[in-house]
Structure formats: structure tokens, C-alpha cells
Amino acid sequence: MYKLCRLCLLLPLLAGCLTNPAPEAVTVAQTLDLAVAEASVGLDAAEVSDQLLAANLALVAEGEASGVTDDDSTLLVDGSEIELPDAETLDDNQLLSVTGDAAPEDEGQTLTCIGVSDDFPVVSNAKVEFFIGYYTGRGREVFTRWLERSSRYLPQMREIFAEEGLPRDLAYLAMVESGFNVKAYSWAHAVGPWQFIQGTGRMMKMKTDWWYDERRDFDKSTRAAARYLKDLNRQFDGEWYLAVASYNAGPGKIRSAVRKTNSRDFWVLSRTKHLRAETRDYVPKLLAALTIARDPESFGFTNLDYQQPYDYEVVTIPSVTDLEVVARLTGATYEEIKELNPELKRWCTPPGVDAYRLRIPAGTSTAFLDQYAQLPKADRANYLHYRIRSGDTLLAIAQKHNVRVADIVSLNSIRNPRALRVGTDLVLPLNKSYTHRAVDELRDDFIRSRHQVYTVRNGDSLWSISQRFSVSEQQLRVWNRLGWSNVIRPGQKLVVSAKAVKPAVKSAVKSTPAKSGTQKIAYRVQPGDTLWGISQQFSVATGAIRDWNNLSENHVLHPGDVLTLHVQASAQRG
């Protein structure tokens, strides 16, 4: 196993460690043009209103202003809403964006490791060792969560890869793409566990609109990733490291680097400036993650609480149906149905999509289908989405859809029925027994997005933006998955506030002025918090937090714990 390979770095004559063969001559296959995957991402032409409903705006009016004007915020990028990361995703982003700047510039001797993987070539060298050290050191807490989360998706992903004739262990690439997080979202608007941008997702036949985004579907996105990786491997004549690198950089960038270096050895390419730092780190990260994940106990990851794989059945839904109805007929909760179908962005199956395939808990399909067949079509959907057009009135909308004006006003909390904004999204209640879940989801989308996203302008820099919004450059890098890059472009959307990420932070922090220019604050630990995340939030060292609170190296935080922090006044978020 890997313990032998670690010794290989010092004792190359040990059995099981073989030096890499010399790279082959340059032969690049002339294949399918995948320029779409490498093109810069543009904004979708569709628009979502900059106001949801007048009454709902009142919920965020107080204390939410961050200096971003209405023109600087958006709900729609590449056809889908920007969804600010939750606490876990923030921590994932930090580890995903770790760079190898501190790693040796030269990878040193590269040795093949026997026994780590049955079907994917694994090597060890100084750069791989650097990331192994990081994942088992400073990044251990988050990497532990990746390992525990992996068991939910890996069995299915590995089977899909095997069906496509790919190495099963290549499925671990999702770990360095997203940490197996279906909610992952990057600065380049890449979405889902396999981090597809809009163009590549469209090329791989994944649909995205206001209602659903198949890039978040763990089955469909994995099948798309497998097909894409298979094609990339074909383009690079079976050189897996080049194929993996091109998944990150695009095949054109890798072909260009091969031509300029006259080498097809990834490690030779990675010593040059022909590859971005992110791509140079990408293959070592995969090898490090794969090495640890195949034998976690050897690296001190014990007592892991692995998540169970989803156990579900798939049923065909013939017409738009509310997930509340599905939950009721299956005996599940609304949240469980949403979790099984992460591609669904709204409260129902997509209107206009016939025979929608929906996941429901295993063992419930027979009873569900029997009850569903007896349910009148009019009772399958309690809500209708309507976007206000020029000339609309509530009376006309109500008459057209056979609903009561009073119900529209009540559900959408409309204060002035005569002041309708063109482009505003309304939820129309089709049945009397409606709840506010649908409009709450719309409101939540709006709250997460409003005053949180900044459009980069000419002359902007990370430093100037950080000063404008009283955050650190490091926070901007973490929230937007920028790594250590300072490169931003006009028109790019940046998350500039975490108010919508941890809404309880403001009430969780109590500060006491200090003469030294720092503040002593009492921070109440929130669900999903880690020492690393808190240290980055307040720009302090994790070791200092331990010292201030007499915490051991292995201390486990619990929601409700109160930590004493000494922070610079400008570092406190709230």
C-alpha cells in the first residue's frame, strides 16, 4: 500500500516503486473541437427581476445594505441564479482553492506506486507529497468531511465510470472538483459535483433553466463527466494525466503546452509557465486525494462517519407536480425529496417537461403511483409561476388563471396591487390549501443574491474591492474560488459578503473594545463551523484560537460553544 510508496522517495530500489518511463514523442490526435469548454463564460440573455415583491424587500431592507447598488447585483448568471455558499461549502471552497505555491518547484523523482489503485496510474513525488501533507494537516477537518461525504456518491459514480470503460478510481476527481458537494459553485459559474460551466454543460446535453439545472444532478452530471473524460483521454492517446489536466484547463491549453515543450509528460509541462498554477496543481491534488481515500486509516483518518448512499427509486411524472404533493404521497418530507433531486431549483417538477423522471425514497413507488393515478391533474400542482408583463393587472392575471385576486395578494404579500413591476415573479395559488413555501423559496433566492454580488468594473482590483466592502482579499478568494490569483475581469461577478451565508453571525458575536486596536469578541459557534473557517472569517490563526480558549489539538467544536477571539476591528464581519 501507500506506506511503501512513501519510502520510495528515499529508497528507490525498494520493490514496488518504478521510475517513470521516458515520455513518448509528441503525437496529438486531431479530434472534436471542444472550444466551447474553453471559451469565456458569458451572461445568459434571460433576466430575473431586481425586485421580488415589495413586501418581501422589507424583510431585507434593514441591515442588509452592503454598498452594492441594484445594478451591481444579479439573480441570474449563465441562466441560473448565483447561490451563495453555505458554511460547509465555504469551508470546501477554502480547501479546493489551496495552491501548491509552497510546494517544491521541481517535483523531484517521480515513482510509480503499486497497490494504491487497481485501475488508475498513481505516482508519488514531492508535489504529490505536499498535498498529502496539506490534506492530512491543515486541511484535515474539511478533508474528513469529504471522505465521509464520498461514500454517498462514489459507489454510483464508480459504476457509471466502469460502464463507460473508464478507471473506476478516476471518479475521485469529483473530490478535487467539489469535495463531492452537489451545491458547489465556482467563480467561473461552474456548478455541481463535476463543476461544469454553462457552455460545457450544454455541450454535454445537460439542461439548465429557471426551473432546474442538471449540472447539479449527481447521476446526469457524472455520466456527462465520464463521457467528457473518455473523449479527452482519446484526444491525448491514453495519457491520463494530460486528459485530467485538460478537464481543468481545456484540451486546447494542454495541446498548446505539448507543442511548446515537445513533451507529453505532465510533469515536464508542470515545470513551465505554459500551464496555469491551478492546472499544475490539479493532477497532484487528484493523486494525493486518491492515495489518502483508498487507505484513510494509514493517514490517521479513523472513526469516519461515512454517509449512506442514497436509496431511491425513479418514477415518471407525466405533468407538472409540486414536490409537496410527492412528499405527501410517499410519506417523505419535502426536504428529503429535494435532496434526492438536487437539480430541481423550485417547488415542483419543471413545467413543460413531459415524463419527468423523479427520484423518490426506495420502497415507495408502488404506493405513490397508485395514489398519484387517482389524483386529479388539477390537484397535482398548487402553484403557478407568473412573470409580470407590460400592461398586466392583478385582475387580468387572476381571471386568466382562474384564481382570486385576494389570494395572489395574500400569498405574495403585495402591499400595493397597483404598483406592479414588469419582470416581477409572482406565485399564483391554484388551490385554497396553499402554503407559503413556493414564495418563500423565491424570496430566499432574492435575499441570498441581493447586495451580495458585485460586478467587476474597469480598473478594479481585489484590493480595491476588498476595501470597498470591508472584507479581506483572502475572503474574496475563498468565496469565489480564486485560489491565489489576483486576476479579475470586467463583468465578472464576485461574492463580496457572507451575510447570507451565516445569517446568525451578527447575533453570534459580541465585541468588547480593546486599547491595543484589537477587539475581544465572544463568538458563538454555528452549525457547520470549523476552527479553520472561523480563523479565516476573522483573519486570525487557528493556533491562536486554541491558545485563547485552552483547546486541545483535536478539540471538536459544537454548535453553541462560545469562543473568545482577539481580532482587528476591520477583520470582524457582521
Side-chain angles (χ1 to χ4, degrees):
M1 293 304 291
Y2 183 73
K3 291 181 178 178
L4 177 63
C5 296
R6 293 173 67 87
L7 293 174
C8 289
L9 290 174
L10 300 175
L11 302 173
L13 297 181
L14 285 177
C17 294
L18 311 173
T19 55
N20 264 6
E24 301 174 10
V26 178
T27 57
V28 180
Q30 302 300 313
T31 55
L32 173 68
D33 181 9
L34 297 179
V36 175
E38 300 165 38
S40 59
V41 182
L43 297 183
D44 193 278
E47 294 181 355
V48 174
S49 170
D50 64 352
Q51 288 190 352
L52 176 61
L53 296 165
N56 288 334
L57 295 183
L59 298 175
V60 295
E62 184 176 355
E64 283 297 322
S66 65
V68 186
T69 66
D70 288 345
D71 291 337
D72 291 331
S73 62
T74 182
L75 277 174
L76 201 68
V77 175
D78 293 343
S80 59
E81 294 80 7
I82 291 176
E83 184 173 326
L84 291 182
D86 56 24
E88 278 197 4
T89 304
L90 272 179
D91 286 343
D92 290 342
N93 284 352
Q94 286 184 307
L95 192 53
L96 290 166
S97 61
V98 164
T99 67
D101 290 352
E105 292 186 8
D106 191 301
E107 76 280 359
Q109 190 174 24
T110 295
L111 306 169
T112 300
C113 294
I114 305 299
V116 174
S117 173
D118 298 328
D119 57 11
F120 188 79
V122 178
V123 302
S124 178
N125 58 35
K127 288 189 175 179
V128 176
E129 287 288 312
F130 170 82
F131 285 107
I132 288 176
Y134 200 97
Y135 291 152
T136 58
R138 292 182 65 183
R140 174 178 289 272
E141 189 170 358
V142 176
F143 197 85
T144 296
R145 187 162 63 242
W146 291 2
L147 290 171
E148 293 176 340
R149 192 188 288 150
S150 69
S151 55
R152 169 158 286 173
Y153 304 104
L154 261 179
Q156 184 171 347
M157 288 179 172
R158 286 168 60 85
E159 287 303 313
I160 290 172
F161 273 43
E163 290 173 12
E164 292 290 338
L166 300 179
R168 292 173 183 261
D169 279 347
L170 184 57
Y172 282 100
L173 190 62
M175 180 174 276
V176 297
E177 278 290 334
S178 66
F180 294 108
N181 188 340
V182 296
K183 296 180 290 185
Y185 186 95
S186 80
W187 67 269
H189 318 313
V191 171
W194 290 98
Q195 290 291 276
F196 281 105
I197 61 172
Q198 179 83 347
T200 313
R202 187 163 46 241
M203 182 183 70
M204 301 308 296
K205 311 300 183 185
M206 286 185 289
K207 300 175 182 177
T208 299
D209 64 17
W210 195 80
W211 294 96
Y212 68 132
D213 188 342
E214 292 185 332
R215 293 175 295 171
R216 297 185 185 277
D217 186 299
F218 48 81
D219 179 85
K220 293 174 183 176
S221 66
T222 300
R223 293 184 186 279
R227 294 194 304 271
Y228 189 33
L229 284 163
K230 187 175 182 178
D231 184 77
L232 293 174
N233 187 53
R234 178 176 60 83
Q235 291 190 58
F236 292 100
D237 301 325
E239 290 286 348
W240 269 120
Y241 290 1
L242 296 184
V244 168
S246 64
Y247 189 91
N248 175 261
K253 296 288 179 62
I254 304 302
R255 284 196 292 265
S256 176
V258 167
R259 286 194 300 269
K260 292 174 180 177
T261 60
N262 196 35
S263 174
R264 298 176 71 243
D265 186 332
F266 169 79
W267 303 107
V268 172
L269 305 185
S270 69
R271 295 184 213 122
T272 72
K273 298 300 183 182
H274 300 310
L275 300 182
R276 296 179 303 168
E278 178 184 337
T279 305
R280 294 196 297 269
D281 293 341
Y282 194 65
V283 172
K285 284 182 177 181
L286 169 63
L287 297 175
L290 173 57
T291 299
I292 298 170
R294 287 301 303 268
D295 187 16
E297 290 190 0
S298 295
F299 297 91
F301 292 96
T302 57
N303 300 318
L304 294 173
D305 185 16
Y306 284 113
Q307 296 180 8
Q308 292 299 311
Y310 286 125
D311 192 10
Y312 61 85
E313 298 173 286
V314 178
V315 294
T316 300
I317 305 296
S319 63
V320 58
T321 302
D322 287 354
L323 301 187
E324 285 182 338
V325 173
V326 176
R328 186 180 75 247
L329 298 184
T330 59
T333 65
Y334 176 87
E335 289 71 24
E336 287 170 337
I337 301 299
K338 289 279 281 190
E339 187 175 355
L340 285 174
N341 299 275
E343 76 281 7
L344 295 180
K345 293 152 58 175
R346 306 299 174 197
W347 58 86
C348 61
T349 59
V353 178
D354 296 329
Y356 190 82
R357 292 173 58 80
L358 186 75
R359 300 185 188 93
I360 60 175
T364 65
S365 62
T366 300
F368 169 79
L369 292 173
D370 287 344
Q371 296 178 74
Y372 187 85
Q374 300 174 32
L375 193 66
K377 188 174 181 178
D379 293 338
R380 295 173 183 174
N382 293 320
Y383 315 100
L384 176 68
H385 168 245
Y386 185 83
R387 185 166 293 163
I388 295 177
R389 304 178 179 92
S390 178
D392 275 341
T393 65
L394 286 185
L395 179 59
I397 295 171
Q399 290 177 340
K400 180 179 179 180
H401 297 283
N402 195 29
V403 298
R404 298 192 311 167
V405 172
D407 288 339
I408 300 177
V409 171
S410 174
L411 178 59
N412 295 278
S413 302
I414 297 175
R415 290 182 177 177
N416 186 354
R418 297 182 180 179
L420 300 179
R421 286 282 301 271
V422 172
T424 297
D425 292 302
L426 294 180
V427 178
L428 308 184
L430 303 180
N431 297 307
K432 293 182 179 179
S433 58
Y434 62 82
T435 70
H436 282 73
R437 187 188 297 277
V439 75
D440 285 347
E441 288 193 354
L442 277 180
R443 182 194 63 194
D444 291 344
D445 280 343
F446 187 79
I447 292 174
R448 281 197 299 267
S449 302
R450 187 173 176 81
H451 300 313
Q452 308 297 324
V453 180
Y454 174 72
T455 303
V456 177
R457 299 166 176 164
N458 288 324
D460 277 340
S461 66
L462 279 186
W463 182 84
S464 66
I465 295 172
S466 71
Q467 296 302 298
R468 178 174 181 178
F469 298 108
S470 300
V471 297
S472 69
E473 292 181 62
Q474 185 176 18
Q475 286 170 325
L476 292 176
R477 290 192 179 95
V478 168
W479 296 336
N480 297 281
R481 293 276 297 278
L482 297 178
W484 290 106
S485 173
N486 288 318
V487 178
I488 54 177
R489 63 187 188 281
Q492 182 175 338
K493 306 292 180 179
L494 293 180
V495 174
V496 294
S497 171
K499 290 180 181 178
V501 178
K502 295 182 180 180
V505 165
K506 187 174 294 186
S507 61
V509 178
K510 294 183 179 179
S511 60
T512 302
K515 295 180 180 180
S516 62
T518 64
Q519 284 185 311
K520 178 181 178 181
I521 66 173
Y523 177 79
R524 187 173 299 278
V525 175
Q526 306 297 301
D529 271 345
T530 64
L531 276 182
W532 171 254
I534 296 170
S535 73
Q536 298 306 296
Q537 178 179 338
F538 294 99
S539 301
V540 297
T542 54
I545 297 177
R546 290 193 180 95
D547 291 342
W548 296 330
N549 296 275
N550 297 317
L551 304 180
S552 66
E553 187 73 23
N554 299 319
H555 182 80
V556 177
L557 295 180
H558 299 283
D561 289 349
V562 177
L563 298 177
T564 297
L565 307 177
H566 299 270
V567 305
Q568 295 293 327
S570 61
Q572 182 179 339
R573 289 189 331 201

